[in-house]
Amino acid sequence: MDIAEGIIEQATGLLASVAGVSELDDSRLVRVLTLAEELGRQADRIRVIAAAEVGERSRHELGSDGLSWRFGQRRPGHLIEQLTLVSAAEAAKRMRLGATVTTRRALDGHPLPPLFARVAEAFAAGKLGVEAAAQITRELGKTSGRCAPDDVLHAEAVLVDGSLMGTATWFNGNALIPAQFNPTQRNPGPAVRPPLPPGAPPGLISAVRTVYQTRDYRFINILFLTDDDRDF
């Protein structure tokens, strides 16, 4: 049996023996709650990377040789739905996130780092949950074509490092400026643009996206500065 399969099967069997927690005292219950969250994040990581690999092996150019075709499904998402019984939206989310946090391959087969390496590192370590990782990569992906690559890397690093603190940042295409913003309130969205922070370059307007971290239910607000009025 493959090592990965063996570890997962053993872990599943051991976890099935956990009957309940009602007999635990308060300190042990809190400990179990924390451990269960850490365990769940690692399980989420495996779900995501497995879904991404299914997508990779079912690429359109592979045609009938692709994994999903050989299992009787035209699309990889349909295969994931069939095997895991998750929704179409959940299957798509896992593949989409996995594509940004797993090692890529160049046309010649040479390995490339993940599209968002800092998110990938934090996600693999269990520091970022699926929701936070998915939203950070999605929103940065929407802006990456309009900003310099180094600026996007900088924004990614700040967002990952601040993800557990509920921080707010302004990204102006050149630097990240600390902003006074209530991290516990979801901003109404890009249609209602917040005021510019002190020191913002003239001629810019603001747009906003909100990323939330489900571990502590606090919000991370990504506040972008842009030179046009298009929504991100």
Side-chain angles (χ1 to χ4, degrees):
M1 180 180 293
D2 184 84
I3 294 177
E5 292 177 86
I7 292 174
I8 293 172
E9 288 189 358
Q10 289 180 38
T12 302
L14 289 171
L15 290 170
S17 65
V18 179
V21 296
S22 59
E23 74 282 1
L24 301 179
D25 60 31
D26 290 350
S27 62
R28 292 178 65 200
L29 176 60
V30 170
R31 177 61 175 159
V32 166
L33 183 67
T34 303
L35 290 173
E37 179 64 19
E38 294 175 1
L39 176 67
R41 291 194 175 198
Q42 289 303 323
D44 284 341
R45 179 183 63 85
I46 298 171
R47 292 189 190 106
V48 165
I49 62 175
E53 187 63 23
V54 169
E56 173 64 21
R57 298 187 188 188
S58 304
R59 301 188 312 277
H60 178 72
E61 61 266 26
L62 295 176
S64 59
D65 291 330
L67 177 62
S68 60
W69 267 96
R70 289 188 284 109
F71 277 78
Q73 296 292 343
R74 293 176 61 88
R75 299 177 182 276
H78 295 166
L79 177 60
I80 294 171
E81 291 175 55
Q82 176 188 6
L83 295 177
T84 65
L85 304 181
V86 300
S87 67
E90 179 63 23
K93 182 175 73 173
R94 291 179 185 179
M95 288 192 297
R96 189 166 51 244
L97 174 59
T100 66
V101 297
T102 54
T103 301
R104 299 171 292 160
R105 292 286 175 182
L107 294 177
D108 62 358
H110 187 77
L112 298 173
L115 185 61
F116 295 109
R118 290 293 295 273
V119 174
E121 181 182 1
F123 182 63
K127 295 179 181 179
L128 280 181
V130 169
E131 293 297 332
Q135 291 203 44
I136 289 174
T137 56
R138 181 168 59 248
E139 303 307 339
L140 286 178
K142 291 178 180 178
T143 62
S144 59
R146 301 169 59 187
C147 303
D150 286 347
D151 296 330
V152 176
L153 289 174
H154 188 190
E156 179 190 1
V158 171
L159 288 170
V160 170
D161 292 344
S163 63
L164 297 182
M165 297 183 292
T167 56
T169 55
W170 287 87
F171 176 43
N172 65 12
N174 294 302
L176 285 154
I177 307 171
Q180 295 299 318
F181 199 85
N182 185 351
T184 63
Q185 298 296 320
R186 182 184 290 274
N187 193 276
V192 181
R193 302 180 187 277
L196 296 177
L204 297 179
I205 59 175
S206 61
V208 65
R209 285 288 179 179
T210 302
V211 176
Y212 64 92
Q213 168 57 260
T214 57
R215 181 172 182 174
D216 53 12
Y217 302 100
R218 287 182 291 182
F219 293 103
I220 309 159
N221 299 279
I222 317 175
L223 306 172
F224 296 90
L225 302 185
T226 178
D227 59 1
D228 59 52
D229 60 0
R230 290 179 295 170
D231 289 338
F232 283 82

